[in-house]
Amino acid sequence: LSAWTLLGHEYVELRNTAAAIEAYRRALDINPKDYRAWYGLGQTYEILQMHFYSLYYFRKATTLRPYDARMWCAMGQCYECVEKYEEAVKCYKRAHDNGDREGIALNKLGKLYSEVMDDHPEAARHFELNLRMLDAEQVESQQTMDALLFLARYYKDPALGRLDDAEVLCQRLHENYGADKEEVSALMKEIRSVKQRVLATSRQGGIFSGFASASGGQG
């Protein structure tokens, strides 16, 4: 790691973007394959909200280090900023495929599919994957809360047959996480109401089935 790259990192921490850019460029004059300097330039231009510049530098970093999940996550976030969501999805998938241990990519994919692309089954798949990973590592974070909240809402659809799962996830939210207690309580109430309706419908179906059997027997 060159002294110029280290100096660039220091300037980024201090939010001295002009000095950071100069330091990273000096580092690249010495070693054009210094992926940290390319990545640093991407971060610096992100601070300046010059996202197309950031994309150029992050792309250079991913070319030099294609197996680094952080690089792909950074580029995905940049694509989100310029509303290129399909490209963002591709980047986050690359990040996940390259061992994104922090689960940032799966959380981002879940949010993109649910909030932007309106593909709730695909969002659920990514939130489920992330929740399993976070639970396996016994990590409790904002990402855990995001997954629990989305999945509890998603599972309350009686057609999925997962109302019990919805209730369990909602209970976890209520007990362990910093979610809005009123929101979670309202969601729990809604889930239990749906369960009661499903149960009542099931009982009515059983009664009508019994009447039909009795009528057939009498015939």
Side-chain angles (χ1 to χ4, degrees):
L1 186 61
S2 80
W4 284 112
T5 303
L6 283 171
L7 191 59
H9 294 345
E10 291 292 329
Y11 283 131
V12 168
E13 290 294 321
L14 295 169
R15 288 295 193 266
N16 187 341
T17 53
I21 289 167
E22 179 63 23
Y24 288 133
R25 285 182 174 163
R26 291 284 190 93
L28 290 168
D29 286 341
I30 297 166
N31 178 13
K33 293 187 177 181
D34 183 352
Y35 73 90
R36 294 181 182 88
W38 290 112
Y39 182 67
L41 280 169
Q43 288 183 309
T44 307
Y45 279 102
E46 262 197 319
I47 293 169
L48 296 170
Q49 297 188 351
M50 298 173 72
H51 302 298
F52 287 103
Y53 280 87
S54 291
L55 281 170
Y56 172 80
Y57 293 117
F58 284 143
R59 197 173 291 115
K60 287 280 192 180
T62 58
T63 300
L64 291 167
R65 199 171 171 86
Y67 50 83
D68 193 326
R70 293 171 305 161
M71 309 294 162
W72 291 108
C73 281
M75 196 152 73
Q77 288 172 338
C78 219
Y79 273 123
E80 281 192 79
C81 289
V82 297
E83 298 183 358
K84 292 195 171 188
Y85 300 117
E86 293 286 350
E87 295 302 317
V89 164
K90 290 176 187 175
C91 289
Y92 291 133
K93 285 183 175 179
R94 287 290 297 269
H96 176 59
D97 290 344
N98 283 284
D100 173 35
R101 297 189 64 182
E102 296 176 14
I104 293 170
L106 287 172
N107 187 61
K108 287 284 191 177
L109 284 165
K111 287 189 170 184
L112 277 171
Y113 278 118
S114 64
E115 297 171 9
V116 178
M117 304 171 116
D118 200 29
D119 187 343
H120 287 190
E122 195 64 15
R125 188 173 74 83
H126 287 91
F127 278 126
E128 285 167 350
L129 282 170
N130 207 26
L131 187 60
R132 281 200 294 272
M133 187 182 75
L134 293 166
D135 283 350
E137 296 182 3
Q138 298 184 323
V139 173
E140 295 184 3
S141 64
Q142 179 63 42
Q143 292 177 38
T144 314
M145 190 174 80
D146 291 341
L148 289 171
L149 192 55
F150 175 85
L151 292 171
R153 287 172 175 157
Y154 181 68
Y155 291 160
K156 77 179 181 183
D157 179 356
L160 297 173
R162 302 196 65 174
L163 286 166
D164 288 340
D165 291 334
E167 191 169 3
V168 168
L169 296 178
C170 205
Q171 192 64 40
R172 276 187 66 180
L173 273 170
H174 196 273
E175 291 174 356
N176 301 319
Y177 296 92
D180 185 317
K181 296 298 183 185
E182 288 186 12
E183 180 185 7
V184 174
S185 295
L187 180 58
M188 179 69 86
K189 187 176 180 181
E190 189 177 350
I191 291 166
R192 287 174 175 168
S193 174
V194 173
K195 285 182 74 173
Q196 287 174 355
R197 289 201 304 272
V198 169
L199 184 60
T201 303
S202 175
R203 285 173 177 167
Q204 285 179 350
I207 291 169
F208 290 138
S209 177
F211 283 153
S213 297
S215 299
Q218 288 174 359

